[in-house]
Amino acid sequence: MKNVRKQFHWTVLPWVFLLAGTICIVGQARASTSTKKSVVRVSHSGARASYGQLAGLHSVDDPLSLRSSVALVEDESTADILFAKNTHAVLPIASITKLMTALVVLDAQLPLDEMLRVSDDDVDTEKYTRSRLRVGTELSRGDLMHLALMASENRAASALGHNYPGGIEAFVAAMNAKAAELGMLNSHFVDSSGLHSSNVSSAGDLVRLVRVASLRREIREFTTCDQYEVRINGRRQMFNNTNRLVRSASWDIGLSKTGFINEAGSCLVMQATILGRKVVIVLLDSIGKYSRLGDANRIRQWLEKSLPQKISQSKLEPSAQLASGT
């Protein structure tokens, strides 16, 4: 595993690339604004602040007072941007990575009923996170994917990568190849779980990922499942979805994935239907355990009020500029 991280460690980190922070509400057509890219250096000082906090992204205000430093809401059918904030920041995405993991597994057409074994290689030596999947646990590839997507089970995601033809090195290479295929030019992956902070992406890239992932039935079903029971070492164990909103009657969610590591903050991506309109919501680097859910609810409520109006006639709000340095 150490050799893999060394091989795929993205040399630009800990640099965080971002466009001057902009917040805009756009109507039926995508707005074109002139912006200047800047580079903000983030030092590894041992602080628990996220990369977004260290880069000053949270200093950008927005009309909804979101606690996420990066937000993007896009109409899936028209590609209209409905809300945007710091969308060109490239940040760690934590377990959002597992959407790409699932895509690579499904693209390889590996049998989902094949039994796989959780090994010592799947133990987290990056963040030392806990897992109910003990070494020696045997589950089907389908069950491991279900737990990785729904419960964000790190050992499950790791086992999927290690049991790919050619091993984890080939799996990570396939992840980056898929990202390139999808035009995710600001994305890079180094593991299958998202535990490493070098798994990075931008809001726009993640919209592309969600769009493609939502075409796969397994990903839609697994990410929106409320609970899932598996038998581990002869005992039944219940796992829950990490996104509480899938249980809410106020939401119609077609795809969901959460993520968290200190460097990334709390993250959430969803495909949801609001007033009959399918939208993709990306929230990155939110401060607080439940703040991403609060941000999602604020966005839904705002859309429920604004979508019936003639958004195409609305004027672009002045952009909030982010002071940046080199």
Side-chain angles (χ1 to χ4, degrees):
M1 177 64 77
K2 292 182 179 178
N3 291 333
V4 176
R5 288 171 184 153
K6 183 177 181 181
Q7 180 181 358
F8 290 97
H9 184 74
W10 210 15
T11 56
V12 298
L13 287 179
W15 294 73
V16 176
F17 296 89
L18 49 96
L19 192 69
T22 57
I23 303 166
C24 52
I25 300 175
V26 185
Q28 296 298 316
R30 186 185 299 273
S32 59
T33 58
S34 59
T35 49
K36 183 184 297 182
K37 285 189 177 181
S38 58
V39 179
V40 175
R41 180 161 188 150
V42 181
S43 62
H44 289 280
S45 60
R48 295 178 64 85
S50 70
Y51 282 9
Q53 287 176 296
L54 294 175
L57 294 176
H58 286 274
S59 66
V60 178
D61 295 326
D62 67 82
L64 302 184
S65 299
L66 302 181
R67 299 197 68 188
S68 302
S69 73
V70 174
L72 180 59
V73 183
E74 184 173 300
D75 186 300
E76 185 175 86
S77 60
T78 65
D80 289 341
I81 296 177
L82 305 177
F83 187 92
K85 174 183 178 181
N86 291 330
T87 55
H88 286 76
V90 178
L91 297 172
I93 59 172
S95 287
I96 307 300
T97 298
K98 294 181 174 76
L99 286 178
M100 181 61 79
T101 296
L103 271 181
V104 170
V105 171
L106 293 173
D107 280 355
Q109 298 183 345
L110 301 174
L112 296 184
D113 59 354
E114 180 182 355
M115 299 301 292
L116 306 180
R117 182 179 181 274
V118 176
S119 70
D120 289 325
D121 291 335
D122 302 315
V123 176
D124 172 23
T125 58
E126 178 68 32
K127 305 296 184 187
Y128 299 98
T129 54
R130 297 180 179 180
S131 172
R132 285 194 275 166
L133 303 184
R134 296 182 180 180
V135 172
T137 297
E138 292 188 356
L139 290 172
S140 70
R141 180 178 280 108
D143 281 346
L144 289 172
M145 186 188 301
H146 200 142
L147 295 181
L149 291 174
M150 184 198 75
S152 213
E153 232 300 332
N154 292 313
R155 289 187 187 178
S158 178
L160 291 173
H162 281 102
N163 286 277
Y164 184 81
I168 188 64
E169 294 90 348
F171 191 85
V172 172
M175 294 174 74
N176 287 305
K178 186 67 175 181
E181 175 190 327
L182 298 180
M184 298 173 62
L185 303 181
N186 294 314
S187 302
H188 189 75
F189 299 95
V190 300
D191 65 37
S192 57
S193 64
L195 287 168
H196 200 287
S197 60
S198 293
N199 295 291
V200 298
S201 190
S202 65
D205 279 7
L206 291 179
V207 167
R208 292 173 180 263
L209 179 60
V210 169
R211 282 174 171 269
V212 173
S214 67
L215 299 177
R216 307 305 291 259
R217 175 185 56 80
E218 295 88 350
I219 296 179
R220 294 195 306 270
E221 292 180 0
F222 292 172
T223 62
T224 57
C225 179
D226 181 14
Q227 294 181 318
Y228 190 62
E229 183 181 87
V230 294
R231 185 177 293 274
I232 301 176
N233 299 325
R235 298 179 58 185
R236 292 183 177 180
Q237 294 201 37
M238 184 70 71
F239 290 77
N240 298 315
N241 198 307
T242 54
N243 182 8
R244 293 183 176 184
L245 299 183
V246 301
R247 298 186 283 273
S248 172
S250 300
W251 282 91
D252 181 5
I253 299 174
L255 179 147
S256 163
K257 189 68 198 79
T258 64
F260 173 80
I261 56 174
N262 289 327
E263 297 93 331
S266 293
C267 306
L268 174 65
V269 297
M270 293 193 300
Q271 179 207 61
T273 300
I274 300 176
L275 296 182
R277 193 170 182 176
K278 283 189 176 182
V279 298
V280 177
I281 300 173
V282 175
L283 298 169
L284 301 179
D285 185 38
S286 186
I287 299 177
K289 185 176 181 181
Y290 302 111
S291 56
R292 60 191 173 191
L293 305 184
D295 284 354
N297 280 321
R298 276 188 285 274
I299 288 173
R300 177 181 58 79
Q301 293 165 4
W302 172 75
L303 287 174
E304 288 173 342
K305 294 179 180 178
S306 63
L307 285 180
Q309 302 172 3
K310 294 182 179 181
I311 304 178
S312 59
Q313 298 178 0
S314 64
K315 295 181 179 180
L316 180 68
E317 293 191 0
S319 298
Q321 298 299 319
L322 170 65
S324 61
T326 57

